[in-house]
Amino acid sequence: MRKKEVKHLISIDQLSTQEIDNLIKVANNIITNPNKYKEKCNGKILATLFFEPSTRTRLSFESAMLRLGGNVLGFSEASSSSTAKGESVADTIKVVSGYADIIVMRHPKEGAPLVACHNSDIPIINAGDGGHNHPTQTLTDLLTIHREKGRLNNLVIGLCGDLKFGRTVHSLISAMSKYENIKFILISPEELQLPEYIKKDILEKNEIEYIETNDILEYMSKLDILYMTRVQKERFFNEADYIRLKDYYILDSNKLGKAKEDLCIMHPLPRVNEISTSVDNDPRAKYFIQAKYGVYIRMALILKLLEVE
Ligand code: NCD
């Protein structure tokens, strides 16, 4: 008998728009009927292997599994795992795949989740690999955009901050490029511009319109979405560069003066200084509800990968 194919989520482009739309549909259904889902994963175990810091991604996955009636185990820092003794990712995964039914992992090395899925006979979910990808943050972002704007097409999306190292930006661009009539305004200092490979392989290849600027105000009045990001301190080689760039953008109420009334302000969080807390009370600020939506879309994803009806 042929071995059953195991489903993993390593990169967002593994999902078609139809699969994404289905996940959004299930997440919306969970929001309306949570009770229908509370025993769906009885007896199942989710392992969270976090080799890098996290608050939202790890806890929202744990919350998602617990709300589905399943259980969770894992570690939240590499130093408390056998990685500190020199164990390879491949070996850790081979072992944990005997302890759980599904694994969520975050790792500082780009490509580590790909190595993991070659060594696992249970589903692996990439919860962030270095400055590369973060597909489940993107699913969270897509659910947020869908709920807050009512559509995933016909949008002008401003992405602001660290577009070079920000993995959430890379995955979001990849996903949104599959929808109709999307325009990107890429707002960053020159040193933190979007990597060339993403411009070429995704934007130019799919003929997606984009503009690069370092001025957050220049296109403010045109934006439907403003996606702010933190300068990714942990990816810098040089502390002086980080200090010089970290407060390059600080979004405050004055800067929103010309913005649309139905602008949707998003941020994957954690926020450092890039959005003033005075913006939090603006009805256009959606970043805390965005974090909450992360639980429901992750519930939908767990159900899909575990093939629970
Ligand atoms: C993001 C990440 O880890 O890439 N955080 C998250 O998962 N919500 C963004 C960030 O750390 O800046």
Side-chain angles (χ1 to χ4, degrees):
M1 213 173 81
R2 258 190 77 205
K3 225 173 127 193
K4 197 165 156 262
E5 203 187 320
V6 182
K7 294 191 178 135
H8 305 285
L9 181 65
I10 306 302
S11 152
I12 194 71
D13 42 56
Q14 285 171 257
L15 297 176
S16 64
T17 51
Q18 198 184 354
E19 286 176 298
I20 289 174
D21 294 347
N22 266 332
L23 286 170
I24 290 177
K25 209 192 246 168
V26 174
N28 280 327
N29 210 327
I30 295 171
I31 294 172
T32 351
N33 304 299
N35 280 341
K36 239 177 70 189
Y37 291 85
K38 65 180 191 217
E39 294 182 353
K40 291 276 183 196
C41 285
N42 277 358
K44 301 277 188 200
I45 298 175
L46 168 94
T48 50
L49 312 186
F50 277 64
F51 299 86
E52 250 196 358
S54 168
T55 297
R56 273 148 294 274
T57 306
R58 186 171 63 83
L59 295 183
S60 65
F61 262 114
E62 295 193 357
S63 173
M65 192 50 155
L66 295 171
R67 285 177 194 270
L68 290 167
N71 290 298
V72 294
L73 51 79
F75 54 81
S76 54
E77 47 188 337
S79 61
S80 67
S81 76
S82 280
T83 308
K85 300 179 186 171
E87 186 171 54
S88 67
V89 168
D91 283 3
T92 305
I93 295 293
K94 277 183 196 153
V95 171
V96 177
S97 59
Y99 299 165
D101 300 287
I102 183 165
I103 292 175
V104 180
M105 70 175 286
R106 168 172 289 185
H107 201 281
K109 282 211 183 107
E110 311 196 342
L114 195 63
V115 172
C117 76
H118 293 316
N119 286 282
S120 173
D121 48 17
I122 65 171
I124 301 284
I125 300 174
N126 177 8
D129 59 330
H132 195 213
N133 281 167
H134 194 345
T136 68
Q137 179 63 46
T138 297
L139 291 174
T140 302
D141 300 340
L142 297 177
L143 176 63
T144 307
I145 296 172
H146 193 267
R147 287 185 69 89
E148 299 299 329
K149 303 295 300 177
R151 64 182 191 275
L152 290 173
N153 49 19
N154 301 321
L155 292 165
V156 179
I157 304 174
L159 299 161
C160 177
D162 187 346
L163 311 188
K164 179 177 182 189
F165 297 118
R167 56 194 173 193
T168 66
V169 166
H170 304 164
S171 294
L172 184 59
I173 289 180
S174 177
M176 289 309 304
S177 296
K178 294 185 181 165
Y179 291 88
E180 295 287 305
N181 195 21
I182 299 297
K183 283 185 198 143
F184 291 108
I185 311 293
L186 305 174
I187 310 155
S188 74
E190 208 176 322
E191 289 117 303
L192 298 180
Q193 278 180 356
L194 192 70
E196 280 303 316
Y197 80 91
I198 299 181
K199 284 188 230 165
K200 285 217 167 65
D201 299 349
I202 302 177
L203 296 175
E204 285 156 28
K205 201 165 151 191
N206 294 298
E207 296 179 9
I208 311 285
E209 225 178 285
Y210 71 93
I211 295 172
E212 291 184 290
T213 173
N214 65 1
D215 180 358
I216 192 172
L217 293 177
E218 193 178 355
Y219 295 94
M220 185 63 87
S221 63
K222 304 268 187 292
L223 303 180
D224 298 304
I225 310 246
L226 175 55
Y227 192 98
M228 297 295 297
T229 62
R230 165 182 79 89
V231 175
Q232 305 281 296
K233 181 179 184 190
E234 62 275 38
R235 315 264 176 247
F236 276 69
F237 294 111
N238 173 335
E239 187 163 3
D241 285 344
Y242 169 69
I243 290 171
R244 185 168 50 80
L245 293 166
K246 71 184 175 71
D247 293 330
Y248 202 96
Y249 299 108
I250 300 179
L251 183 69
D252 58 21
S253 306
N254 288 334
K255 296 204 176 76
L256 287 167
K258 292 217 166 89
K260 289 187 181 174
E261 261 174 43
D262 63 350
L263 171 72
C264 176
I265 306 169
M266 299 171 66
H267 191 310
L269 303 178
R271 151 178 63 188
V272 185
N273 283 328
E274 56 282 352
I275 304 182
S276 151
T277 51
S278 68
V279 176
D280 295 0
N281 293 327
D282 188 311
R284 295 170 289 189
K286 302 296 181 190
Y287 28 93
F288 289 113
I289 187 84
Q290 179 186 356
K292 189 171 174 186
Y293 289 148
V295 175
Y296 307 112
I297 201 76
R298 289 180 170 110
M299 288 171 81
L301 179 67
I302 292 169
L303 292 173
K304 178 179 167 67
L305 296 182
L306 288 179
E307 299 181 339
V308 177
E309 283 298 304

